[in-house]
Amino acid sequence: MPAEKKATLLIKNIGQLVTMAGPVPRIGDQLCDIGIIEHGGIAAAGNEILRVGESDDVEGHSPLAEGCTVIDAAGAVVTPGLIDPHTHPVFSMTREKEFEMRLQGKSYMEIANAGGGIRASVRDLRTTPRQQLMEKTTERLDRMLRYGVTTIEAKSGYGLSTESEIKQLEVIRDLNQTHPIDMVPTFLGAHEIPDEYRNNRNGYIELIIDEMIPKVVEQHLAEFSDIFTEEGVYDIPESRKIQQAADDAGLKLKFHADELKSVGGAELAAEMKAVSADHLVYISEAGIKALASSGTVAVLLPGTTFSLAGKQYAPARKMIEEGVVVALSTDCNPGSSYSESLPFMVTLAALELKMTAAEAISAVTVNAACAINREGVIGQLQPGMSADMVVWNMADYRELPYHYAVNLVAKVIKAGKLVVNN
Amino acid sequence: MPAEKKATLLIKNIGQLVTMAGPVPRIGDQLCDIGIIEHGGIAAAGNEILRVGESDDVEGHSPLAEGCTVIDAAGAVVTPGLIDPHTHPVFSMTREKEFEMRLQGKSYMEIANAGGGIRASVRDLRTTPRQQLMEKTTERLDRMLRYGVTTIEAKSGYGLSTESEIKQLEVIRDLNQTHPIDMVPTFLGAHEIPDEYRNNRNGYIELIIDEMIPKVVEQHLAEFSDIFTEEGVYDIPESRKIQQAADDAGLKLKFHADELKSVGGAELAAEMKAVSADHLVYISEAGIKALASSGTVAVLLPGTTFSLAGKQYAPARKMIEEGVVVALSTDCNPGSSYSESLPFMVTLAALELKMTAAEAISAVTVNAACAINREGVIGQLQPGMSADMVVWNMADYRELPYHYAVNLVAKVIKAGKLVVNN
């Protein structure tokens, strides 16, 4: 008989333990069931959850290791660590002047002439020393962690040259070794066409396919390939070609789809069995049906609409009704959505996407795990899964969207360790 | 020759020292001038600012007291401590269920029947022990302070009986003695008509005038009298009558005006020389001209529109063009806007009110001071004024609205003391 594992972490007296036990992914009405145990407890050994249940029961059946961390939640809410499945965190230059110019009615050309836009970020990143990128990215990861996020997807896409794309992905790889937040890396060489290829877009597409993707795969720098499929950026045939090459090379697929216009991005993502299609503000009826049928996760980014002062948000309710797997993310990036707060996206989901608190919590935990191919590992509090969790300064999970734009995180546990104690 | 005062606080190497030197209040184009000193420094002795200028100059001319706190801002932004001029922070019960019901399309009656609405807060407050109110309010004040707020206006209005209104004002008075945040107390007995007076509104108005106001004044529990002037709450003649009694008793005046409908609230506020008129989503053209002419501060509360998922925001640009003094506030309360983050209101001001970062910063400092009768004391960093200031994790003040829904405060100094060190 093997020795029973002893708990190195015990949280007791949890008012609402949001386990997310149940179907993976969540669709339709399933999104409303977040698996609450009232007066709950949870025990873990290292990064493995051992027991989840009634507080007294868990405490009574969990022998404690020496030096075990025991937390009395005193009636607070505990959820899985939040998962942000769409971020662009590796950059140095912020673009606050562009934000103000846009809101004051300046045109795209005026902003570009004043040094704004995505290609401004590219020019900056190429010349930024690696150490500076590490420091700036670390500040953002620290902030995410303080707001309850324990795993993120992180994209390249401000390099747009083989060297600079790899530089971004290496920053992600190196920080993944040292920072508590886990990062799932995505190659986004097809984020834009860089300045030097404006008159030779096919040349850049060939560079992506013939040089970037092979090197990224060879060096194990990414799990996903993403692309900005949009009018004026990559059209549908170009997107299919690039993503087919990525798929052939063994990368899983994501798409920036139908953000500004309905161009069939969702349909292409479904056709190519992408793991996720993201943005989807202008997704078509056919696109919704296609995603529901393929099981591709719709990653909604309400912060981007918000931060661009847009009026049109993704049709979340219609997607949920049609059985699409819906997740939420910050889109954290210097141009269109500079925020590390995934809890605030839960507020926007309530206000603008008309999602309930339970639906939105499903969308930043279990469904967000599906969007980055981590289902069954994170996003739920179940025996055998990772010990990533958040203790919140609230007695009812519905406070999360309602009490807005402030940090309600009390403690963050990542891989069984207490890493934030606000 | 008197001995020169020695500095007990010195902040040097400030990238942008936002002094707010200049006109008080700020109107029109003046809002854009926030008095920046680049590479600035500031010295204080206790709660008195001694010197403001170039970093080297301030350092060179400020003899330091023993144990002086010296902060190297390393290029960061420093502003005056933020001032929140409209809050309802004294309550226990949160109303997250009502928030969700409203967003899911439930009617006002369904919400009221489920125990929601302002009168639910009244029922709860009346039975909440004073100690519990102190604790819950302290949590909110702590959070405000962490987000850079050093002075607030705080209202009663969930008591609606002489005893319970006084209970709320005494909580404000007592916390004012012990908490770093300074509170300017406002009596808001005319927040609603309580349950027991639904069929006798004149009886309640008499109670306010004949009993509440005299007791509040006698016990020095409030500086201001506020009223919810709105269709279905207090109409214009009732508002004039109650506020005239408050004015006669020596209280200064504030109005909740034209929040849901244009009812002439702004015009009445101007007529009665109120210090501020607040909300103003539906202010009339005549109301705007009246406020501009009377100098009454327009306190705008974009978080309330946001948190109610409204589409209509106060016409800030038109007010600024017409010369109205504009300030911003959270409206922190459990029903329509539960947030302690005044920085987030700067983001909403940019996105929804189309105010620039500089205008919004003027609106949460110097103009907010005017809204609570503290001009010349707080809201600017000038010799002789209070040493309330915030060191921000940013190199350019325009990052404040742009980098949204996260806490960018590095340090808060209140009355010359370092009270937050994030």
Side-chain angles (χ1 to χ4, degrees), chain A residues 95 100 334 337 339 357 402-404, chain B residues 95 100 334 337 339 357 402 404:
Chain A
R95 283 157 52 192
E100 180 152 300
S337 178
S339 181
Y402 154 78
H403 193 169
Y404 67 96
Chain B
R95 283 158 51 192
E100 181 152 299
S337 179
S339 181
Y402 154 77
Y404 67 97

Side-chain angles (χ1 to χ4, degrees), chain A residues 119-343:
Chain A
R119 282 184 283 152
S121 284
V122 172
R123 288 190 293 274
D124 182 72
L125 184 123
R126 288 177 175 181
T127 60
T128 302
R130 186 177 300 244
Q131 186 54 34
Q132 186 177 330
L133 275 181
M134 298 279 283
E135 287 163 14
K136 294 286 185 183
T137 306
T138 299
E139 284 175 26
R140 285 172 205 122
L141 296 178
D142 288 347
R143 202 170 277 123
M144 288 172 174
L145 198 66
R146 282 200 296 276
Y147 280 83
V149 173
T150 50
T151 303
I152 68 171
E153 183 257 21
K155 304 178 196 291
S156 67
Y158 296 125
L160 307 193
S161 70
T162 306
E163 182 194 349
S164 293
E165 283 294 303
I166 285 177
K167 177 166 80 169
Q168 271 195 294
L169 291 169
E170 287 177 345
V171 166
I172 294 169
R173 177 197 63 195
D174 293 349
L175 288 176
N176 221 356
Q177 304 301 314
T178 55
H179 197 279
I181 283 190
D182 280 324
M183 284 187 273
V184 174
T186 293
F187 167 66
L188 179 55
H191 198 192
E192 244 295 2
I193 306 283
D195 289 342
E196 66 275 20
Y197 281 96
R198 293 314 279 181
N199 298 315
N200 178 19
R201 47 189 302 128
N202 286 331
Y204 185 63
I205 292 169
E206 280 170 26
L207 182 73
I208 292 175
I209 293 174
D210 296 338
E211 188 174 295
M212 292 188 190
I213 290 174
K215 286 207 178 177
V216 164
V217 170
E218 185 194 312
Q219 297 177 39
H220 305 290
L221 287 171
E223 288 184 39
F224 284 92
S225 170
D226 193 357
I227 187 163
F228 195 2
T229 301
E230 193 66 59
E231 193 173 277
V233 195
Y234 293 92
D235 66 20
I236 294 289
E238 290 168 342
S239 299
R240 188 184 278 112
K241 184 177 175 185
I242 293 169
Q243 292 288 63
Q244 189 59 57
D247 187 38
D248 292 344
L251 296 173
K252 294 178 198 77
L253 305 185
K254 288 178 168 288
F255 287 79
H256 282 62
D258 305 320
E259 176 182 357
L260 306 171
K261 228 177 145 171
S262 185
V263 299
E267 291 89 328
L268 179 63
E271 172 199 318
M272 298 191 78
K273 306 285 180 211
V275 174
S276 79
D278 302 26
H279 283 292
L280 304 171
V281 175
Y282 294 95
I283 188 172
S284 68
E285 297 267 342
I288 293 176
K289 288 191 192 314
L291 293 186
S293 163
S294 68
T296 298
V297 180
V299 177
L300 308 185
L301 310 164
T304 312
T305 302
F306 173 74
S307 182
L308 293 172
K311 296 301 165 207
Q312 178 91 25
Y313 283 83
R317 283 256 62 92
K318 188 154 181 53
M319 288 189 233
I320 291 170
E321 278 160 26
E322 298 277 343
V324 175
V325 182
V326 169
L328 289 163
S329 161
T330 59
D331 194 17
C332 181
N333 80 80
S336 56
S337 178
Y338 193 12
S339 181
E340 293 92 345
S341 175
L342 197 50

Side-chain angles (χ1 to χ4, degrees), chain B residues 148-265:
Chain B
V149 173
T150 49
T151 303
I152 68 171
E153 182 258 18
K155 303 178 196 293
S156 65
Y158 296 126
L160 307 193
S161 70
T162 306
E163 181 194 350
S164 294
E165 284 293 303
I166 286 178
K167 178 166 79 168
Q168 272 194 294
L169 290 169
E170 286 177 344
V171 166
I172 294 168
R173 177 197 64 196
D174 292 349
L175 288 176
N176 220 357
Q177 304 301 315
T178 56
H179 198 278
I181 284 190
D182 279 324
M183 285 187 273
V184 174
T186 293
F187 167 65
L188 179 55
H191 197 193
E192 244 295 2
I193 305 282
D195 289 341
E196 65 275 19
Y197 282 96
R198 294 314 278 182
N199 298 315
N200 179 19
R201 46 190 301 129
N202 286 331
Y204 186 63
I205 292 170
E206 281 169 25
L207 183 73
I208 292 175
I209 293 175
D210 296 337
E211 187 174 296
M212 292 188 190
I213 290 175
K215 286 209 178 176
V216 164
V217 169
E218 186 195 314
Q219 298 176 38
H220 305 291
L221 287 171
E223 289 185 36
F224 284 92
S225 170
D226 194 357
I227 187 165
F228 195 3
T229 302
E230 192 67 58
E231 192 173 278
V233 196
Y234 293 93
D235 66 21
I236 294 289
E238 290 168 342
S239 299
R240 187 183 279 111
K241 183 176 175 186
I242 293 169
Q243 292 287 64
Q244 189 58 56
D247 187 37
D248 291 345
L251 297 173
K252 294 180 198 77
L253 305 184
K254 288 179 168 285
F255 287 79
H256 281 62
D258 303 321
E259 175 182 359
L260 307 171
K261 228 177 146 171
S262 186
V263 298

Side-chain angles (χ1 to χ4, degrees), chain B residues 32 36 45 47 54 66 68 91 102-103 112 117 123 127 142 184 203 209 281 287 295 360 364 398 403:
Chain B
C32 301
I36 291 180
N47 187 25
E54 301 278 335
E66 216 181 291
C68 175
F91 61 91
R102 185 167 54 235
L103 292 171
R123 286 189 294 274
T127 58
D142 288 347
V184 174
I209 293 175
V281 175
V364 294
R398 281 168 287 206
H403 193 170

Side-chain angles (χ1 to χ4, degrees), chain A residues 353-415:
Chain A
L353 308 181
K354 307 304 176 195
M355 292 171 71
T356 64
E359 289 175 329
I361 290 172
S362 294
V364 294
T365 54
V366 61
N367 280 7
C370 296
I372 56 171
N373 202 35
R374 289 293 187 278
E375 57 269 34
V377 182
I378 55 174
Q380 297 170 289
L381 298 178
Q382 293 289 276
M385 292 180 70
S386 290
D388 297 352
M389 50 197 106
V390 182
V391 184
W392 297 89
N393 274 319
M394 58 180 81
D396 187 310
Y397 71 92
R398 281 168 286 206
E399 188 169 341
L400 189 51
Y402 154 78
H403 193 169
Y404 67 96
V406 290
N407 194 353
L408 301 173
V409 169
K411 297 174 199 298
V412 179
I413 289 103
K414 174 64 187 181

